[in-house]
Amino acid sequence: MAALAHTAARALEPVGDRQQPTPSAFFDALKRLYLSSFERRNALLDGLFYDVSTITKSEAAELSPALAEEGAIVYVPTTASGEPLKVIKTLTELATQTPKPKALAIAGVGSSALGSAALARNVADALDAPAVAVVSGYGAADLMTEALGGYFLFGALNRIRHAFDTIEAMTSQWSSLFNAGSGQKSLGFGLRKFSDVAATAALLCDENFEFSVLCGHSKGNLILAEALEKIVGLPDKKHMKRIAARSQVITLSAAIQMPSEFAPIIDVLGTADPLGRANSRPFISIEKKLPGVGHHTNTEFPDIVPKPLNVTEVIRNILKEKQAR
């Protein structure tokens, strides 16, 4: 209780010459305290499920939950470039201070920013071009889903996420995707500040970026599907048409129903991935079935059973086949 009181008190301290909004700050303090154990758990899961060896120690230090929480955007250049990744504060910063990313990646399995960045680096290496990662998880909408393990029964999790969105709506400031003063305008999705879905939708709708690949892994496919559904629902269809014309959607380790406007979708699933199979919609055909491959993508474990899903190799082959058609 003493730790809780201290955390809550710090949340209510004045910032500059103004006081933070009390309900929002207090709730954020409680949320961060509650989720600290999940953050530690997910840092361990990242090493199991994602190719974290592609991220340097100095880069990993930039990816703490305090700097890269839910909805954060991480710019991830290729391994060969030697350029470090960067946590992005605004879309304007991404558009003006980095080379244009060519892919968007969203990790799952209750991942932290480390796993998200590792997946994005695999995708970047496949394209030989920078990618961006959207960090999923750790909002109020994920309190219950993280308590349940963060990655089982996606359909049920989708309903739970939206139910908890209502809670955060009553306790958080509703505004644009990023902090006041960032120059970003709300896209009118009715989603909470720093939401993973809102961040994904905002990136896709920003005409400064042209993503050739949209990739999710595990629960990340659910985030991507929700964002695309929001875009389809916009009155102005220009964003939907632009994305559909230029972007290839690739799902890894869970075939989630995506809006038909973005077809054809390439679904990838290992034959030794019961978790991915359980979370895939049964009526969706799998375009790429990988024999003996499991749910994890960490290529440092090549000799274990099941084999890892080599994200870079798989996406590179998909794009080669697409070009050959």
Side-chain angles (χ1 to χ4, degrees):
M1 289 302 295
L4 174 61
H6 176 70
T7 303
R10 283 183 59 84
L12 299 178
E13 288 177 354
V15 177
D17 59 352
R18 62 183 178 83
Q19 186 83 5
Q20 292 190 36
T22 302
S24 176
F26 184 75
F27 181 77
D28 285 347
L30 295 180
K31 179 178 68 178
R32 188 173 296 280
L33 184 67
Y34 178 81
L35 287 174
S36 61
S37 62
F38 296 125
E39 291 168 351
R40 290 192 294 270
R41 182 210 70 186
N42 287 4
L44 296 175
L45 286 178
D46 283 337
L48 176 62
F49 285 104
Y50 293 103
D51 213 2
V52 295
S53 63
T54 63
I55 305 301
T56 67
K57 290 183 179 180
S58 59
E59 288 178 322
E62 298 294 319
L63 298 173
S64 70
L67 299 175
E69 60 181 356
E70 176 191 7
I73 294 172
V74 185
Y75 169 78
V76 185
T78 64
T79 301
S81 72
E83 181 186 352
L85 60 76
K86 183 178 182 181
V87 179
I88 300 298
K89 295 182 175 64
T90 69
L91 296 184
T92 299
E93 179 184 352
L94 181 64
T96 60
Q97 298 183 24
T98 67
K100 293 294 189 292
K102 295 300 182 182
L104 187 154
I106 311 173
V109 200
S111 65
S112 71
L114 177 61
S116 301
L119 177 66
R121 177 144 285 158
N122 285 161
V123 176
D125 288 346
L127 276 68
D128 194 26
V132 289
V134 173
V135 180
S136 64
Y138 301 142
D142 290 301
L143 290 176
M144 184 60 71
T145 65
E146 289 297 328
L148 292 174
Y151 50 88
F152 292 108
L153 303 175
F154 287 173
L157 290 186
N158 192 21
R159 291 189 292 273
I160 292 171
R161 282 171 56 88
H162 287 301
F164 273 75
D165 270 339
T166 304
I167 295 176
E168 188 149 337
M170 294 186 295
T171 55
S172 297
Q173 300 177 73
W174 285 57
S175 61
S176 62
L177 174 62
F178 296 100
N179 288 330
S182 66
Q184 304 303 323
K185 296 180 180 179
S186 171
L187 291 171
F189 295 115
L191 297 171
R192 65 190 186 279
K193 186 180 181 182
F194 288 116
S195 163
D196 41 18
V197 176
T200 302
L203 272 168
L204 293 176
C205 288
D206 193 313
E207 296 183 2
N208 286 306
F209 312 113
E210 296 291 351
F211 298 110
S212 58
V213 170
L214 309 178
C215 179
H217 175 261
S218 189
K219 194 182 76 171
N221 296 322
L222 175 64
I223 307 302
L224 179 57
E226 290 185 22
L228 293 176
E229 288 284 2
K230 296 296 181 184
I231 292 170
V232 169
L234 290 174
D236 189 343
K237 302 302 179 185
K238 67 176 183 179
H239 296 303
M240 180 192 74
K241 292 177 181 179
R242 180 175 56 85
I243 296 164
R246 298 178 181 271
S247 302
Q248 174 64 65
V249 178
I250 301 174
T251 75
L252 306 174
S253 302
I256 302 300
Q257 185 173 11
M258 298 282 177
S260 60
E261 288 83 356
F262 302 98
I265 311 296
I266 304 297
D267 297 296
V268 180
L269 186 65
T271 60
D273 183 1
L275 178 58
R277 173 58 66 182
N279 283 307
S280 296
R281 300 295 175 88
F283 57 84
I284 297 178
S285 61
I286 307 300
E287 286 73 24
K288 297 292 179 182
K289 296 181 180 179
L290 307 179
V293 168
H295 202 73
H296 65 290
T297 69
N298 194 331
T299 56
E300 286 201 314
F301 305 146
D303 299 324
I304 69 171
V305 177
K307 296 184 294 185
L309 192 164
N310 189 319
V311 174
T312 299
E313 180 180 280
V314 166
I315 292 181
R316 188 175 287 157
N317 289 338
I318 289 173
L319 297 180
K320 284 181 179 179
E321 292 173 6
K322 184 176 180 179
Q323 291 176 350
R325 294 192 194 112

